[in-house]
Amino acid sequence: MSESFYITTPIYYVNDVPHSGHAYTTIAADVLARWHRLHGHDVFFLTGLDEHGQKVQRAAAQAGIDPQQHCDRLMPHFRNLWEKLTIAHDGFIRTTDTRHHAVVRQLLHTLYDRQLIYRADYTGWYCTFDERFWTEKDVEQGNCPDCGRPVEQLSESNYFFRMSRFQQRLLDHIADNPTFIRPESRRNEVLGFLQKPLEDLSISRPKSRLSWGIDLPFDRDYVAYVWFDALVNYLSGLEYLPPRPSVDRFWPATVHLVGKDILTTHAVYWSTILMALEIPLPHTIFAHGWWTVNSEKMSKSRGNVIDPYTMVKQFGADAFRYFLLREIPFGQDGNFSLESFIGRINSDLANGLGNLVSRTVTLIERFCAGTVPCPDPAACAEQETELQAAATSLLQIAMPHHLRSDRIAYNRALEAIWSVVQLGNQYIDKTAPWVLAKAPAHEKRLSTVLFHAAETLRFLCLAIAPFMPNTAQAMSRQLGFQYDFSRALLKNPVAWGDGPTATTVVKGPSLFPRIAIPPQHGASMEQSASPRTMPSTPSSPEPDSNTSSVSHSTQESDCITIKDFQKVRLKVAKIIAAERIPKSEKLLRLRVDLGTEQRQIVAGIGKTYSPDTVLGKTVVVVTNLKPAKLMGVESQGMVLAAGDTDVISLVALAGDVAPGTTVK
Ligand code: ME8
């Protein structure tokens, strides 16, 4: 039997239609599932819906319908979205399914029989929105520490799971299994949480307060706490969903992908429940970061929700999949901006991959009568060796490294793929097949070059297939390979030149038409997304005579001139004072010495640096930025720092340079 790979997403609440955050986790899971299928692994990918609990009951009441009717009404919004995003899940679970109820009841019974569930009176602070109790010390000025909404004091008789008994075992498990909670920062968070004594977990809600749930098997006046019910889906889904994948075959799960918001419920609640049931724990719980819009949480009330349906309709499923996984490291938070999205479509997709496919196919059509030619080993040069090494290492080294379920780095994987895209475009520019075609003496060299360009695309198409299945399919069609990506195409190593030979290319429509940047970007997606527009100039296989030789495109709107760059005045500065700005986690007030003057700068580096660690540092400052007020404090410049989203490091100088020196 081949290696098994069981991946799950959270099951999403059906209190509302899905948004891009839900799409993010599901796309991420789909990529790993597809990658493992391509390698011939035995894959089960489970997603679904969390249909019980207060949130759903409340949403149904607001809609004036019965909760089940509400769930049935919302379910297609999720299923259709997954179809539009080409999500190839193997199972879709709904917690209102009576077969799921049976498993939840059976597990509750087991815990009850083992005396790991008891009844007690409890008084605590209850957050209706999060459906959980908080202790006095957790509550922040009368508000829930999680969602910030007011909490209310509630006294209630409930059933409790003896979670506290498992605290030490859980700590030991985390210590013994370094890849159990990923990434490392989240693992530390859980360890921090476990420094405090773990309390027992209320696993029931009285029906008098909440009736929408699964009846407790030992007391019909109560329903199960929605999180107990929901977490069990990871097991129940294996038991009864077609094609009955079975617990024996797939448990323990390889990876539960979750957002950082629900790390505790998975790493602590779920782990201790499994321990109590004597069921092995999943190999990895990977908690990814949070997408914000204009640095704010996405929410309907703020009107900044990014509607995934709109994104797919306007930019295509693959572009959306690409952007979400390329833009921010999985695990870190990131800000969604339509401007960055369109920027990536134009630079990485239209000018990068789309251009490489289009020019290769055009050149083969024009100079080889549409048939991918055979190479002549005698006509190979160093350029071919370099291209071949880069493309083959993609499948053999880069992807296996970046897509391991305990260190998932989609952005790095895509970066590696796009470095080959860039190399491919440079290769065509440098070898200039249109020049070779002019002299019959270069015929073998021309064939060799076009073969290598096509072979690079074959490797690229296998590498991107998990990320962009539609694009991979279209590429394979245009190059005449006709691959079926649901098959285990990477089960055996793929070697350079071992693909279908002498295939006939078929030019298709442009894979990624360039998008015009809307004048009013960055606001709500519905308002600002522009319709797709065709490229202003058709993609050309040859470089424009007015552009430099490495340019593979005549579309250079993302570039700035040296004059533009010189408008930014950069100077070396020394930090001579630093302090935190009250009530801000991120901002430091700095005093910097610029040789001839001193300035006050407010820098968003406070999460990475404390004031004492930056004191005396030599940094680079933008000195001609218009002054702006941040949290009421004027900033007279900007300090340069590196980091895709969060600040990782200040920009330092390689040698000793006096304050005030120009940086250029
Ligand atoms: O918590 N950025 O469901 P839910 C990134 N039913 N990911 C986001 C996101 C954002 N802004 N917003 C949502 C629940 N997500 C429970 C789960 S599992 C047994 C029960 C994603 O509908 C992310 O995966 O609130 C997050 O953990 C999940 O949606 C929460 O979905």
Side-chain angles (χ1 to χ4, degrees):
M1 185 52 114
S2 58
E3 192 180 318
S4 79
F5 182 80
Y6 177 29
I7 185 163
T8 66
T9 70
I11 49 171
Y12 307 112
Y13 285 127
V14 285
N15 54 335
D16 209 338
V17 292
H19 61 64
S20 292
H22 301 129
Y24 182 49
T25 324
T26 315
I27 291 169
D30 187 53
V31 170
L32 287 193
R34 283 176 182 273
W35 191 80
H36 282 272
R37 283 192 205 109
L38 274 177
H39 285 80
H41 300 159
D42 188 23
V43 173
F44 196 71
F45 165 20
L46 179 66
T47 187
L49 299 176
D50 191 352
E51 303 195 322
H52 290 130
Q54 198 111 41
K55 284 185 190 175
V56 177
Q57 180 171 290
R58 197 187 307 124
Q62 275 165 3
I65 53 175
D66 160 75
Q68 186 63 59
Q69 213 185 340
H70 168 83
C71 296
D72 295 345
R73 210 182 255 185
L74 278 182
M75 182 272 286
H77 289 269
F78 286 85
R79 288 202 86 129
N80 293 342
L81 179 63
W82 302 155
E83 207 177 305
K84 290 213 178 301
L85 285 167
T86 19
I87 303 296
H89 48 81
D90 300 293
F92 186 91
I93 192 166
R94 299 182 60 187
T95 53
T96 47
D97 192 320
T98 50
R99 290 164 300 179
H100 168 74
H101 290 204
V103 179
V104 172
R105 273 207 284 268
Q106 180 212 325
L107 297 183
L108 281 167
H109 227 306
T110 307
L111 294 177
Y112 190 70
D113 290 347
R114 290 186 188 163
Q115 298 180 352
L116 290 168
I117 287 179
Y118 64 95
R119 186 173 171 156
D121 291 332
Y122 184 80
T123 300
W125 293 100
Y126 190 71
C127 171
T128 316
F129 187 80
D130 282 343
E131 299 175 44
R132 58 170 294 184
F133 281 100
W134 296 100
T135 60
E136 185 75 44
K137 62 180 184 316
D138 294 323
V139 171
E140 292 166 0
Q141 295 171 339
N143 294 324
C144 167
D146 189 38
C147 71
R149 290 177 173 79
V151 288
E152 54 183 326
Q153 190 146 59
L154 214 65
S155 291
E156 210 165 75
S157 183
N158 260 314
Y159 287 88
F160 289 82
F161 161 55
R162 295 190 190 279
M163 187 159 74
S164 55
R165 279 203 189 164
F166 298 90
Q167 178 160 13
Q168 191 53 48
R169 260 181 74 185
L170 181 55
L171 278 164
D172 294 345
H173 185 83
I174 297 172
D176 295 344
N177 297 274
T179 58
F180 176 52
I181 300 166
R182 298 276 82 200
E184 191 65 14
S185 54
R186 303 285 168 221
R187 180 173 187 258
N188 292 338
E189 243 171 57
V190 175
L191 286 172
F193 178 84
L194 289 171
Q195 290 308 306
K196 288 189 283 183
L198 198 55
E199 297 191 357
D200 288 344
L201 178 69
S202 157
I203 50 89
S204 67
R205 296 292 179 262
K207 277 190 185 169
S208 52
R209 192 155 63 76
L210 171 69
S211 57
W212 186 234
I214 301 176
D215 284 357
L216 289 191
F218 37 82
D219 191 336
R220 300 277 147 168
D221 289 337
Y222 288 83
V223 293
Y225 172 41
V226 68
W227 269 105
F228 189 97
D229 164 357
L231 289 162
V232 167
N233 95 87
Y234 300 133
L235 283 172
S236 68
L238 294 179
E239 300 236 3
Y240 73 82
L241 287 177
R244 286 185 173 269
S246 104
V247 171
D248 287 347
R249 192 162 133 209
F250 286 107
W251 194 264
T254 319
V255 56
H256 288 323
L257 285 192
V258 297
K260 65 176 187 179
D261 55 323
I262 54 174
L263 175 61
T264 311
T265 47
H266 282 76
V268 180
Y269 297 4
W270 182 225
S271 302
T272 51
I273 290 169
L274 287 169
M275 281 174 172
L277 289 165
E278 290 165 21
I279 296 174
L281 268 50
H283 291 294
T284 298
I285 297 170
F286 198 109
H288 64 69
W290 206 245
W291 279 101
T292 53
V293 180
N294 298 332
S295 305
E296 285 188 326
K297 201 171 169 169
M298 257 189 267
S299 82
K300 274 223 153 154
S301 55
R302 287 195 180 101
N304 64 357
V305 168
I306 296 158
D307 174 21
Y309 276 104
T310 311
M311 293 296 108
V312 174
K313 192 163 164 219
Q314 301 201 330
F315 306 109
D318 279 10
F320 191 47
R321 290 171 66 112
Y322 173 78
F323 176 73
L324 290 181
L325 298 180
R326 174 66 186 84
E327 187 69 358
I328 57 167
F330 204 60
Q332 286 183 27
D333 294 347
N335 194 45
F336 192 102
S337 114
L338 193 60
E339 191 184 11
S340 311
F341 185 13
I342 294 176
R344 283 214 181 269
I345 293 180
N346 289 343
S347 63
D348 303 6
L349 303 184
N351 285 358
L353 182 63
N355 197 30
L356 182 60
V357 173
S358 155
R359 62 205 309 224
T360 304
V361 171
T362 304
L363 290 165
I364 293 173
E365 269 185 345
R366 196 181 293 170
F367 302 128
C368 305
T371 301
V372 177
C374 287
D376 179 350
C380 279
E382 207 176 298
Q383 284 163 310
E384 281 70 43
T385 316
E386 190 195 349
L387 188 62
Q388 175 178 341
T392 46
S393 84
L394 213 50
L395 298 183
Q396 286 159 11
I397 301 165
M399 297 299 113
H401 178 80
H402 295 307
L403 298 183
R404 264 181 54 169
S405 54
D406 57 355
R407 68 151 81 113
I408 314 168
Y410 299 109
N411 64 325
R412 296 268 173 257
L414 289 167
E415 242 172 62
I417 298 174
W418 256 258
S419 69
V420 174
V421 169
Q422 194 186 9
L423 209 58
N425 271 316
Q426 287 170 353
Y427 175 72
I428 294 185
D429 291 339
K430 285 184 194 156
T431 52
W434 48 92
V435 175
L436 296 174
K438 286 183 187 151
H442 294 319
E443 196 189 332
K444 286 190 173 161
R445 178 74 188 135
L446 175 66
S447 300
T448 302
V449 165
L450 292 180
F451 163 82
H452 277 81
E455 192 62 352
T456 303
L457 285 177
R458 186 170 73 96
F459 273 72
L460 282 173
C461 140
L462 287 164
I464 65 160
F467 294 91
M468 305 168 87
N470 306 297
T471 307
Q473 204 64 64
M475 280 168 67
S476 114
R477 212 178 303 123
Q478 289 203 30
L479 285 145
F481 309 140
Q482 305 290 7
Y483 277 151
D484 172 359
F485 291 97
S486 65
R487 291 188 35 232
L489 297 176
L490 298 178
K491 188 169 180 184
N492 299 313
V494 179
W496 194 256
D498 74 355
T501 50
T503 55
T504 305
V505 300
V506 187
K507 193 147 176 65
S510 170
L511 289 179
F512 300 102
R514 282 179 66 83
I515 312 282
I517 297 183
Q520 230 225 332
H521 50 254
S524 140
M525 290 300 153
E526 281 98 333
Q527 297 161 9
S528 57
S530 79
R532 295 182 118 187
T533 55
M534 287 305 287
S536 49
T537 47
S539 188
S540 156
E542 302 174 31
D544 189 318
S545 55
N546 291 325
T547 59
S548 72
S549 63
V550 287
S551 161
H552 53 259
S553 161
T554 53
Q555 300 138 356
E556 304 256 307
S557 62
D558 298 330
C559 297
I560 57 167
T561 64
I562 187 77
K563 269 199 167 157
D564 293 331
F565 177 71
Q566 282 165 347
K567 284 187 196 151
V568 182
R569 280 200 216 116
L570 298 166
K571 291 211 168 203
V572 174
K574 191 168 179 168
I575 301 177
I576 51 174
E579 62 181 12
R580 287 202 178 273
I581 290 190
K583 296 204 187 123
S584 171
E585 229 190 319
K586 227 167 122 180
L587 299 180
L588 298 189
R589 181 211 297 260
L590 308 177
R591 184 114 211 122
V592 299
D593 175 11
L594 280 160
T596 50
E597 59 172 320
Q598 291 187 0
R599 287 210 196 168
Q600 169 171 287
I601 294 182
V602 178
I605 55 173
K607 276 194 179 167
T608 317
Y609 293 96
S610 60
D612 54 323
T613 56
V614 293
L615 211 55
K617 275 200 192 309
T618 301
V619 289
V620 179
V621 164
V622 182
T623 57
N624 61 337
L625 203 62
K626 207 167 160 190
K629 279 199 170 171
L630 297 165
M631 305 258 314
V633 182
E634 184 172 283
S635 183
Q636 300 153 340
M638 189 173 87
V639 174
L640 295 193
D644 290 332
T645 47
D646 297 335
V647 167
I648 301 169
S649 165
L650 283 165
V651 170
L653 295 156
D656 260 358
V657 185
T661 310
T662 299
V663 176
K664 52 188 183 179

